[in-house]
């Protein structure tokens, strides 16, 4: 195991394209870090620079305290798991897992012991004599991971290893990878474009866009305290609702109506905000007003038409078009909103009787509002 340090690392291609710009990141010994972002953001290029598959244009890469910029991939003592399983079709599972040990000329008894141990960890013991053609996609990926495990590397590098699996297998493999990393405690850098994988797997997330790191932190930190609009919109499924807003002496005016001053709004006002802003609310901030609440506090309410309703068993998603809003959060004082219709998604309790096409009265928690600068996209409240 080893600490991985990227100190001002950049990658610039011959045509001048900057794939990664001055990346500073420390992956602690035994930590599980996720590189996530849209296609072309630089996450795979970063992983390839750590592996030695891409040259570093500027900056320094250290693994276990040693500079490795000029070292070949085989001399960095890392193991990679790719999106493609890259198994030898003519070899059995046992032979595929043990291939790196054969290259290292490890004695047969010791190699067999390591293969059996890896197979036991990955639940492959009964499959050791099969060939890849007779395995499922999930089993093939486990074989590829077993081949990495037997090397006892200082770090694992995983490049979208679950992309070729169906939805059910992805969930199973996510759980297996998490348990495996907890058991082995090996430093791991994992690349994905799937924010669900990022939220459920890593100790920390590194969210990238256009080669630049947007935010680094634990999953709940990026979800609860997004640094900018990009982070707010990328993390979370469905994404955060973003609404135009205007600061007034009475509070925050939005398509939902006038939001009374909250601690977040007050904090944003202290920071000298612009006149206008972008307000963000997660889907879970909304509730069907027809359902009883334990809290006694009166919440602001508004009316919207439910265009589409998705029932997922324990919860429902209502995709809405705002029709009108209460101007002061007090029932009985509804006033039409002059703005253009605004789309909205709300995550509701499964007990909600909402139906497609009906006007629905919703309440929302104003303390969960996020505020962003309309031009720069930065969070107007305290930085995470």
């Amino acid at each position: 195991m080893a600490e991985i340090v990227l100190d001002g690392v950049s990658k610039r291609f011959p045509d001048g394209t900057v794939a990664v710009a001055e990346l500073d990141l420390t992956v602690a010994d035994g930590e599980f870090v996720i590189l996530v972002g849209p296609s072309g953001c630089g996450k795979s290029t970063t992983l390839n620079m750590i592996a030695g598959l891409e040259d570093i244009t500027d900056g320094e890469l250290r693994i276990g305290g040693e500079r490795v910029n000029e070292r070949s991939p085989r001399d960095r003592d890392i193991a990679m798991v790719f999106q493609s399983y890259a198994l030898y079709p003519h070899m059995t599972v046992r032979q595929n897992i043990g291939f790196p040990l054969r290259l290292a000329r490890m004695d047969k008894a010791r190699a067999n012991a390591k293969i059996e141990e890896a197979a036991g960890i990955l639940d492959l013991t009964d499959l050791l004599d099969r060939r890849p053609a007779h395995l499922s996609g999930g089993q093939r990926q486990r074989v590829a991971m077993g081949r990495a495990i037997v090397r006892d590397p200082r770090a694992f590098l995983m490049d979208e290893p679950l992309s070729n699996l169906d939805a059910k297998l992805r969930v199973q493999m996510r759980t297996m990878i998490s348990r495996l990393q907890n058991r082995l405690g090996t430093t791991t850098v994992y690349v994905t474009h799937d924010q669900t994988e990022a939220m459920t797997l890593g100790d920390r997330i590194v969210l990238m866009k256009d080669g630049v790191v947007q935010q680094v932190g634990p999953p709940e930190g990026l979800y609860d305290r997004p640094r900018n609009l990009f982070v707010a919109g990328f993390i979370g499924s469905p994404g955060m609702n973003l609404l135009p807003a205007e600061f007034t002496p009475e509070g925050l005016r939005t398509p939902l109506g006038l939001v009374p001053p909250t601690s977040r709004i007050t904090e944003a006002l202290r920071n000298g905000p612009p006149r206008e802003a972008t307000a963000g609310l997660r889907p879970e901030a909304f509730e069907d007003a027809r359902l009883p609440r334990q809290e006694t506090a009166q919440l602001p309410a508004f009316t919207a038409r439910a265009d589409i309703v998705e029932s997922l068993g324990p919860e429902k998603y209502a995709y809405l078009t705002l029709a009108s809003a209460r101007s002061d959060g007090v029932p009985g004082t509804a006033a039409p909103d002059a703005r253009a219709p605004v789309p909205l998604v709300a995550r509701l309790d499964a007990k909600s009787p909402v139906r497609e096409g009906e006007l629905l009265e919703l309440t929302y928690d104003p303390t969960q509002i996020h505020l962003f600068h309309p031009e720069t996209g930065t969070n107007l409240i305290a930085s995470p």
Side-chain angles (χ1 to χ4, degrees):
M1 293 185 292
E3 178 185 71
I4 299 174
V5 179
L6 294 93
D7 186 1
V9 168
S10 298
K11 175 62 181 182
R12 186 171 52 255
F13 291 108
D15 64 358
T17 301
V18 177
V20 178
E22 298 182 2
L23 174 57
D24 292 313
L25 176 67
T26 297
V27 182
D29 188 6
E31 189 177 19
F32 196 157
V33 167
I34 308 290
L35 302 180
V36 66
S39 297
C41 70
K43 55 189 185 296
S44 290
T45 300
T46 299
L47 195 77
N48 289 336
M49 286 192 289
I50 297 174
L53 303 178
E54 287 280 2
D55 293 333
I56 295 173
T57 306
D58 297 300
E60 185 175 82
L61 172 65
R62 298 187 295 275
I63 300 178
E66 301 175 355
R67 177 186 167 97
V68 297
N69 290 45
E70 293 78 22
R71 290 191 186 180
S72 66
R74 64 180 297 174
D75 295 329
R76 299 190 183 195
D77 194 16
I78 51 92
M80 284 199 73
V81 179
F82 297 93
Q83 178 179 348
S84 60
Y85 316 124
L87 303 180
Y88 295 102
H90 64 286
M91 293 184 181
T92 64
V93 169
R94 182 187 300 276
Q95 292 168 333
N96 268 285
I97 292 177
F99 186 73
L101 304 181
R102 193 176 79 179
L103 290 179
R105 301 184 182 278
M106 183 178 291
D107 69 83
K108 191 170 183 180
R110 185 183 172 198
N112 282 335
K114 292 179 73 65
I115 293 169
E116 293 286 347
E117 180 184 11
I121 292 173
L122 296 168
D123 195 22
L124 293 171
T125 301
D126 295 337
L127 306 176
L128 284 173
D129 295 324
R130 292 191 187 181
R131 285 185 167 80
H134 302 133
L135 302 177
S136 69
Q139 290 167 339
R140 294 179 191 179
Q141 192 57 275
R142 279 186 278 153
V143 174
M145 295 185 69
R147 187 173 54 196
I149 289 173
V150 294
R151 294 183 51 197
D152 290 329
R154 293 195 290 180
F156 289 133
L157 306 181
M158 301 188 183
D159 192 2
E160 303 199 38
L162 309 185
S163 294
N164 291 336
L165 305 181
D166 61 40
K168 185 176 181 180
L169 274 177
R170 287 171 76 102
V171 174
Q172 293 175 352
M173 286 296 293
R174 279 207 313 262
T175 304
M176 191 218 71
I177 289 174
S178 183
R179 289 176 177 169
L180 179 65
Q181 204 276 337
N182 287 336
R183 177 171 179 173
L184 300 178
T186 305
T187 307
T188 302
V189 182
Y190 184 108
V191 162
T192 181
H193 65 274
D194 186 333
Q195 60 93 20
T196 301
E197 285 182 25
M199 292 292 291
T200 55
L201 278 175
D203 298 320
R204 284 191 301 156
I205 293 175
V206 180
L207 179 54
M208 301 180 68
K209 178 189 177 186
D210 298 332
V212 178
V213 172
Q214 302 296 304
Q215 188 168 347
V216 180
E220 60 273 15
L222 273 68
Y223 190 84
D224 295 332
R225 299 177 299 279
R227 179 169 293 168
N228 56 42
L229 273 172
F230 177 78
V231 178
F234 190 90
I235 298 295
S237 180
M240 181 183 288
N241 296 291
L242 301 175
L243 311 170
E246 181 182 1
F247 290 100
T248 71
E250 297 79 22
L252 188 72
R253 189 170 297 282
T254 75
L256 304 179
L258 185 66
V259 182
T262 64
S263 59
R264 287 189 176 190
I265 295 175
T266 302
E267 184 174 356
L269 287 169
R270 283 201 302 267
N271 293 336
R275 175 180 175 140
E276 296 182 346
T278 298
L281 272 170
R282 295 283 183 194
E284 60 269 23
F286 301 95
E287 291 186 5
D288 191 329
R290 291 170 288 186
L291 297 181
R293 290 179 49 86
Q294 295 181 353
E295 296 86 348
T296 58
Q298 177 66 56
L299 293 178
F302 66 97
T303 302
R305 186 174 302 281
D307 298 322
I308 298 174
V309 177
E310 296 177 344
S311 180
L312 303 180
E315 59 194 10
K316 292 180 179 178
Y317 286 104
Y319 295 83
L320 315 159
T321 299
L322 294 178
S324 64
R326 302 191 184 282
S327 59
D328 56 6
V330 179
T333 60
D337 194 289
R339 299 178 187 268
V342 176
L344 200 73
V345 57
R347 189 173 75 183
L348 306 177
D349 191 285
K351 297 178 182 178
S352 169
V354 60
R355 295 290 183 269
E356 289 186 4
E358 74 173 5
L359 284 175
L360 174 66
E361 185 178 43
L362 295 173
T363 60
Y364 64 95
D365 185 354
T367 65
Q368 295 188 34
I369 288 180
H370 300 262
L371 295 168
F372 304 94
H373 194 287
E375 296 176 1
T376 65
T378 55
N379 197 323
L380 292 173
I381 306 174
S383 299

